[in-house]
Amino acid sequence: MYKSRKRSASPTSRRALTNKDQAPVPAGTIQVTFDDRSGKKVTLPCLPNDDIGSIKKMVAAVIGTKANKFVLKRGAQTFKDQGSLDLYEVHDKTSVEILYT
């Protein structure tokens, strides 16, 4: 009646890449996670002296919205485009929220 389908020999052929499967991150970079609380969660490698405006452009390219349509926030602190990650004390594996305006 029904024929059983053969599964591929490699179980990794269909699964999505995880962080451990990605290329190694260069020294001096930090991993920052950006989350908009509606299903879009992005982890990007950044330099501590990157300014927030350029990081917003990278996040916008990944999530598919314009950079001027959201702000980045951590706790009660809203990030200005001219500041850097060092200024706002964002370190490795820090989570930052995306709020749409």
Side-chain angles (χ1 to χ4, degrees), residues 27-93:
T29 60
I30 58 175
Q31 295 287 326
V32 183
T33 303
F34 302 93
D35 188 10
D36 72 347
R37 307 277 179 160
S38 66
K40 294 178 184 173
K41 191 172 186 179
V42 180
T43 302
L44 295 175
C46 305
L47 292 173
N49 60 356
D50 284 347
D51 60 86
I52 301 299
S54 64
I55 291 172
K56 279 178 64 173
K57 290 177 186 175
M58 288 193 298
V59 171
V62 174
I63 65 174
T65 59
K66 293 182 180 180
N68 61 354
K69 297 293 181 185
F70 63 88
V71 294
L72 300 178
K73 193 171 187 179
R74 189 177 110 216
Q77 191 172 33
T78 303
F79 296 169
K80 306 253 183 204
D81 288 350
Q82 296 82 14
S84 67
L85 292 176
D86 275 343
L87 177 69
Y88 295 109
E89 297 178 359
V90 175
H91 304 292
D92 196 22
K93 301 203 177 20

